[in-house]
Amino acid sequence: MVKQFSELSASAERVVDAAQRLIQQHGYNGFSYDDIAREIDIKKPSIHHHFRTKADLVQTIVQRYADRFATLLRAIDATGEDAPARLARYGELFAATYRQDRRLCVCGILGAEAAALSPEVALDVRAFFQLNLDWLAGTIRQGQQAGLLRVRGSAEEQAYGLLSALEGAMMVGRGVGTDHSPANAGATYVSNMLA
């Protein structure tokens, strides 16, 4: 049974934090329980005590990551700013992640490895992307209605494009070894929509 991220003990939280960092740096297939044990100086059986399988651990990570991201989206909405400003703040979420040793979005890197994931984890990754796409499309529609954004195609198509630009900017940035911020890719994308 997968542990609920809200019910984690302090030691289980350390395992989740370490595993998340390893996923963001190396991907799903790039880390093991041995790596976690070395990183936080814990015995491997202790990790199994908290998370029977790697899939259970990763599902907890994805659910926690998605919940935290949803909280950040609500905070952006609570600013009361217009759509272009909220979209800029959204791009900054990706930039803040990337600034941490060129880490990638947890769900972005897991999405690239979807074939290696358990069906449950893949479903949670898909839900993360849908949360983002829905939020982006809604924000873009609000910007259109306010006359602040002009969009070719649908708001859903633009949402998909913007999310793809941000996730892709992280991967390309790491691939070419640059600290160029994903927020720049997002800002460029949004500036092309400005009315």
Side-chain angles (χ1 to χ4, degrees), residues 90-113:
Y90 179 83
E92 184 53 38
L93 298 178
F94 289 82
T97 297
Y98 190 73
R99 279 193 297 269
Q100 298 176 50
D101 302 320
R102 295 183 184 157
R103 290 185 192 171
L104 301 182
C105 166
V106 167
C107 292
I109 197 163
L110 290 175
E113 297 181 282

Side-chain angles (χ1 to χ4, degrees), residues 23 32 35 53 99 106 144-145 164 166 175 188:
I23 288 171
S32 68
D35 297 317
T53 67
R99 279 193 297 269
V106 167
Q144 283 179 285
Q145 292 165 356
S164 298
L166 291 166
T188 300

Side-chain angles (χ1 to χ4, degrees), residues 160-170 182 185-186 189:
Y160 192 91
L162 179 53
L163 181 57
S164 298
L166 291 166
E167 292 283 5
M170 296 174 98
Y189 198 95

Side-chain angles (χ1 to χ4, degrees), residues 1 4 6-8 22 27 33 39 44 49 58-59 78 81 83 96 111 123-124 127 142 146 154 176:
M1 183 168 157
Q4 295 298 312
S6 59
E7 301 169 358
L8 295 176
L22 288 166
Y33 276 16
E39 181 157 320
K44 195 167 136 183
H49 168 74
V58 174
Q59 187 170 17
E81 294 175 319
L123 190 62
D124 285 340
Q142 289 172 358
S154 68
V176 299

